[in-house]
Amino acid sequence: MSILKKVEQFREEEERLRWEGTFADYLELLKEKPWIAQTAHSRVYNMIKDAGVEEVNGKKEYSFFKDQLYGVEESLEKLVEEYFHSAAKRLDVRKRILLLMGPVSGGKSTLVTMLKRGLEQYSKTDKGAVFAIKGCPMHEDPLHLIPTHLRKDFQEEYGIKIEGNLSPLNMMRVEEEYGGRIEDVLVERIFFSEDKRTGIGTFSPSDPKSQDIADLTGSIDFSTIAEYGSESDPRAYRFDGELNKANRGMMEFQEMLKCDEKFLWHLLSLTQEGNFKAGRFALISADELIVAHTNESEYKSFISNKKNEALHSRIIVMKVPYNLKVSEEERIYKKMIQDSDLAHVHIAPHALKVAAIFTILTRLKEPSKQGVDLLKKMRLYDGESVEGFNSQDLEELKQEDPDEGMSGIDPRYVINRISSAIIRKQLTSINALDVLRSIKEGLSEHASISKEDRERYMDFIAIARKEYDAIAKKEVQKAFVYSYDESAKTLMDNYLDNVEAYCNKNKLRDPLTGEEMTPDEKLMRSIEEQIGISENAKKAFREEILIRISAYARKGKKFDYNSHERLREAIQKKLFADLKDIVKITTSTKTPDESQLKKVNEVIARLIDEHGYNSVSANELLRYVGSLLNR
């Protein structure tokens, strides 16, 4: 389908969604669809909830934020449940400004943009439909037409609570255009749009000396005063400030804490009472979510100022820290690269993972828990199993420092360094070593990094390099194993036969001669030693394996090579240990013979076909691993 055809379809769909009728018609529609009278906070919460909620390990994950925000699931759950959900229930929290606080490039702006774009789309759905008094510059809620003394009766009949009063402009219009007959007032369906300034506003402070409060609350239209005769005539007022235009939806208050005080005082009344003062009119009702964002240093400066105390209690602070999971950081880099002009460059497998390891280490706080270093902490955070530690230990680690994730290297820095390496060296393929080298070179140019932090970060680069060395060896050794899965399965079956005989105090029967044999202790220990199982711990480990096999059997599941993570690791390491000398000789020989050359070509082909390398990065990997093994 051509793009013009899609544009035409989009236009037709918008036309189909349009609705216009009298207030009496709207009340009939309300009986059929009572949810269309929801508040701004309720609409945002339902938008997130309707996109889908999944429970993973006792934590809620929201599909609305999927593929855009990574590794901040706990912060998002807190935001949705403690703020949006509570605000949707009309609890007092909705009378607060939502202030997102976090480090640069931590996802605050992305989160706000997602809410704005989401509301634009949600207002086009049946569940998110918004209706307003036709011709009102503030797209006012039609229910404000119901007189105050009848609102209790209305709530009993419709089950809907009305908040807010009719604006001065619409009060005049009802009298002059409709002769006081509210049932005849025209109502229309509106669609949120930041570009058209409908239901979504953005306020950004500029020079305090030149910025006018009218940017927030609207202003007098001096060209019409002669026509209407007074500045207090609502028709002589432009209801075009961001607070006016964001009514019924949300307003983003950029750099709120840098704003002049006179702008902030308007927010006191709006958040607490749901109205604000504009021109020579009575208070104007507004129903909108106000979202601001700032960094930690600005927030600390703000709360230390006694003059701001009145605003402190009107603000709900939600921390948006950096992601602390290596796998999620890797996804952030992949997304940023896909969105850039670097998408055509081949990035070797694990290059982004190694960069992520370095980045996450800069964000983690030194653990105080005994037996845990930064690497173990990093692995636990990423969902890996670490011997001797469980989920309870993980929760304790997370609670050690509430400011963890509020500092460290940001994702943009890493992407900038990758870009620098590619552009400066005219590379079409980049590997983990190129990335680490570029990150290291950039640290000395990074003005905001202190000398102490720079030295610490250099240590993290060395740790990330060691992690890559282990990954690279494993990758090459795995590629050298012909029919790897079959080899692993054969070795595991042999091990399990011996373990079963050992635990049950039975003999094994030789498949060729048929004679009875004692369990092969040498074979079992050669595998168990790969993962550090001591002589004293071997019996418990073997019994654990048998228990796992019987548990699988009870459930009708087959115990295979991937059923026990530590056993799988032991099998891999045993296979790799047996092949180490072959790998070492083949990769380090400058003039390989025909059989060695054939083996190298097979490995390169496997790295390309099965592991995601190209010919350049596969050859680089082999050379690097060869040099590691020859050290």
Side-chain angles (χ1 to χ4, degrees):
M1 188 186 295
S2 72
I3 191 66
L4 290 177
K5 187 69 177 170
K6 288 180 180 178
V7 168
E8 186 185 339
Q9 277 192 354
F10 175 76
R11 195 165 51 241
E12 288 172 357
E13 178 63 15
E14 277 215 327
E15 198 56 43
R16 186 187 67 79
L17 291 173
R18 292 193 190 281
W19 183 93
E20 187 178 309
T22 63
F23 182 58
D25 297 329
Y26 175 70
L27 291 181
E28 287 302 313
L29 187 65
L30 208 54
K31 283 182 178 176
E32 185 187 335
K33 302 175 178 180
W35 62 81
I36 60 178
Q38 62 189 322
T39 63
H41 290 82
S42 175
R43 191 173 292 108
V44 172
Y45 173 68
N46 287 326
M47 168 186 74
I48 296 168
K49 186 167 64 78
D50 289 349
V53 185
E54 191 180 348
E55 195 147 316
V56 180
N57 299 324
K59 306 280 185 185
K60 288 182 179 176
E61 291 188 6
Y62 304 92
S63 301
F64 180 82
F65 301 107
K66 211 172 180 180
D67 302 325
Q68 290 292 327
L69 293 169
Y70 304 109
V72 287
E73 291 81 12
E74 288 179 21
S75 298
L76 290 174
E77 182 179 10
K78 188 177 180 184
L79 171 67
V80 175
E81 294 304 319
E82 290 187 18
Y83 183 78
F84 289 129
H85 193 182
S86 300
K89 298 289 186 186
R90 297 180 191 261
L91 294 173
D92 213 47
V93 72
R94 74 192 174 107
K95 297 177 180 180
R96 308 285 182 271
I97 298 164
L98 173 62
L99 179 64
L100 304 174
M101 182 180 70
V104 293
S105 193
K108 302 184 298 294
S109 298
T110 302
L111 173 55
V112 175
T113 301
M114 287 185 74
L115 292 175
K116 291 196 287 192
R117 296 296 85 81
L119 278 174
E120 288 177 344
Q121 292 304 314
Y122 195 58
S123 68
K124 293 174 184 173
T125 67
D126 189 49
K127 289 278 189 181
V130 189
F131 294 81
I133 295 172
K134 188 176 182 183
C136 173
M138 286 182 61
H139 9 273
E140 191 168 3
D141 187 346
L143 293 182
H144 286 182
L145 291 163
I146 302 284
T148 308
H149 66 280
L150 293 178
R151 290 185 177 183
K152 190 176 180 183
D153 296 337
F154 176 84
Q155 187 172 353
E156 287 175 4
E157 185 178 345
Y158 285 81
I160 297 168
K161 185 179 180 181
I162 303 173
E163 293 179 339
N165 298 311
L166 204 58
S167 67
L169 179 62
N170 284 324
M171 206 175 289
M172 178 178 278
R173 289 179 63 208
V174 169
E175 293 303 320
E176 295 198 358
E177 293 178 29
Y178 298 99
R181 291 178 57 82
I182 62 168
E183 61 270 34
D184 295 336
V185 174
L186 289 177
V187 174
E188 64 179 348
R189 182 173 180 180
I190 61 168
F191 304 104
F192 287 161
S193 167
E194 186 175 20
D195 294 338
K196 295 176 182 176
R197 300 186 74 215
T198 306
I200 297 174
T202 304
F203 182 79
S204 184
S206 56
D207 181 6
K209 293 175 184 175
S210 61
Q211 190 154 33
D212 191 347
I213 198 72
D215 294 345
L216 267 184
T217 60
S219 61
I220 296 165
D221 185 354
F222 290 100
S223 66
T224 60
I225 290 176
E227 182 183 348
Y228 298 119
S230 170
E231 289 183 15
S232 60
D233 190 309
R235 292 169 299 180
Y237 196 85
R238 290 177 178 161
F239 294 89
D240 60 356
E242 293 305 320
L243 293 181
N244 307 102
K245 292 300 182 182
N247 186 32
R248 311 294 301 287
M250 68 174 280
M251 188 190 83
E252 177 188 7
F253 209 126
Q254 296 178 346
E255 304 297 345
M256 186 185 89
L257 303 186
K258 289 178 180 174
C259 208
D260 191 72
E261 289 172 18
K262 66 182 179 184
F263 291 88
L264 300 181
W265 301 134
H266 275 278
L267 302 181
L268 287 175
S269 173
L270 178 60
T271 52
Q272 194 63 36
E273 308 299 334
N275 51 46
F276 62 93
K277 190 83 172 86
R280 297 178 180 178
F281 309 116
L283 290 168
I284 296 173
S285 296
D287 171 31
E288 56 197 82
L289 160 68
I290 297 178
V291 186
H293 41 90
T294 188
N295 59 46
E296 197 170 13
S297 60
E298 280 179 1
Y299 178 69
K300 285 178 178 175
S301 173
F302 173 76
I303 58 173
S304 65
N305 188 342
K306 294 288 183 185
K307 289 195 293 184
N308 297 324
E309 282 183 350
L311 267 172
H312 295 175
S313 60
R314 307 299 205 286
I315 292 174
I316 290 279
V317 180
M318 287 288 172
K319 287 185 178 179
V320 184
Y322 282 134
N323 156 59
L324 295 175
K325 297 177 182 176
V326 170
S327 54
E328 295 297 311
E329 188 73 10
E330 196 178 349
R331 290 179 71 195
I332 292 171
Y333 299 154
K334 284 177 181 174
K335 180 180 179 295
M336 291 174 85
I337 287 167
Q338 285 166 2
D339 293 344
S340 73
D341 293 334
L342 302 177
H344 65 286
V345 177
H346 172 77
I347 296 176
H350 312 298
L352 298 181
K353 180 178 182 177
V354 171
I357 288 171
F358 161 75
T359 310
I360 298 301
L361 287 172
T362 70
R363 298 172 185 170
L364 294 177
K365 302 289 185 183
E366 283 287 348
S368 57
K369 192 173 181 66
Q370 194 172 1
V372 184
D373 58 16
L374 272 181
L375 264 178
K376 283 181 180 174
K377 186 177 187 178
M378 180 190 79
R379 291 193 172 104
L380 284 166
Y381 274 20
D382 204 31
E384 293 182 39
S385 61
V386 176
E387 190 177 358
F389 298 96
N390 54 33
S391 57
Q392 181 63 39
D393 297 308
L394 176 60
E395 290 306 312
E396 286 176 18
L397 284 170
K398 286 180 179 178
Q399 288 164 20
E400 275 185 355
D401 195 325
D403 288 333
E404 189 168 54
M406 297 298 281
S407 60
I409 292 290
D410 66 281
R412 285 192 196 123
Y413 172 78
V414 174
I415 295 300
N416 289 344
R417 296 314 304 163
I418 292 173
S419 306
S420 175
I422 290 166
I423 293 163
R424 188 157 44 87
K425 298 181 181 178
Q426 298 293 302
L427 298 175
T428 55
S429 175
I430 192 166
N431 61 36
L433 295 178
D434 296 322
V435 172
L436 284 179
R437 198 177 298 117
S438 186
I439 288 172
K440 185 177 179 180
E441 289 168 1
L443 290 178
S444 57
E445 301 164 15
H446 205 301
S448 63
I449 297 177
S450 66
K451 186 182 177 184
E452 185 184 359
D453 280 343
R454 192 174 292 117
E455 288 172 1
R456 202 163 54 91
Y457 292 172
M458 294 296 272
D459 291 340
F460 294 151
I461 287 174
I463 292 171
R465 169 78 178 265
K466 282 182 183 175
E467 289 292 295
Y468 176 63
D469 290 352
I471 292 167
K473 284 181 196 174
K474 198 170 183 178
E475 193 93 312
V476 169
Q477 289 168 336
K478 191 171 180 177
F480 261 86
V481 179
Y482 181 73
S483 300
Y484 175 76
D485 288 336
E486 286 78 359
S487 304
K489 185 179 181 300
T490 303
L491 182 59
M492 191 187 79
D493 286 345
N494 198 357
Y495 173 77
L496 292 178
D497 288 344
N498 281 278
V499 164
E500 192 174 356
Y502 169 85
C503 291
N504 295 329
K505 296 183 171 54
N506 291 335
K507 298 272 187 179
L508 285 167
R509 193 170 292 279
D510 189 301
L512 294 176
T513 63
E515 62 182 285
E516 288 189 334
M517 305 179 300
T518 56
D520 190 340
E521 185 65 23
K522 189 177 178 182
L523 169 76
M524 290 187 285
R525 291 302 295 140
S526 71
I527 291 169
E528 291 156 358
E529 283 169 354
Q530 301 294 330
I531 51 170
I533 302 293
S534 66
E535 185 71 27
N536 292 333
K538 69 180 184 183
K539 187 172 184 290
F541 180 74
R542 292 169 189 177
E543 287 171 349
E544 181 198 323
I545 297 289
L546 272 194
I547 291 167
R548 180 75 63 90
I549 291 170
S550 61
Y552 268 60
R554 279 200 310 275
K555 295 174 184 175
K557 291 163 70 177
K558 189 174 185 289
F559 185 91
D560 62 20
Y561 170 66
N562 292 306
S563 299
H564 193 286
E565 197 169 323
R566 296 193 68 216
L567 177 58
R568 181 183 66 199
E569 184 187 351
I571 297 288
Q572 284 179 357
K573 285 186 174 180
K574 170 62 178 164
L575 284 172
F576 295 158
D578 294 345
L579 282 165
K580 187 174 179 180
D581 290 336
I582 300 170
V583 176
K584 190 174 172 182
I585 294 165
T586 311
T587 55
S588 60
T589 306
K590 289 182 181 177
T591 53
D593 60 31
E594 192 177 333
S595 66
Q596 289 172 337
L597 195 62
K598 184 182 176 186
K599 190 71 177 171
V600 167
N601 289 335
E602 281 178 7
V603 171
I604 288 172
R606 198 165 288 120
L607 286 170
I608 293 169
D609 296 341
E610 297 175 19
H611 298 271
Y613 291 82
N614 67 1
S615 58
V616 175
S617 58
N619 276 288
E620 287 173 344
L621 178 72
L622 274 181
R623 282 196 296 273
Y624 181 63
V625 170
S627 70
L628 287 177
L629 294 174
N630 278 300
R631 285 176 189 174

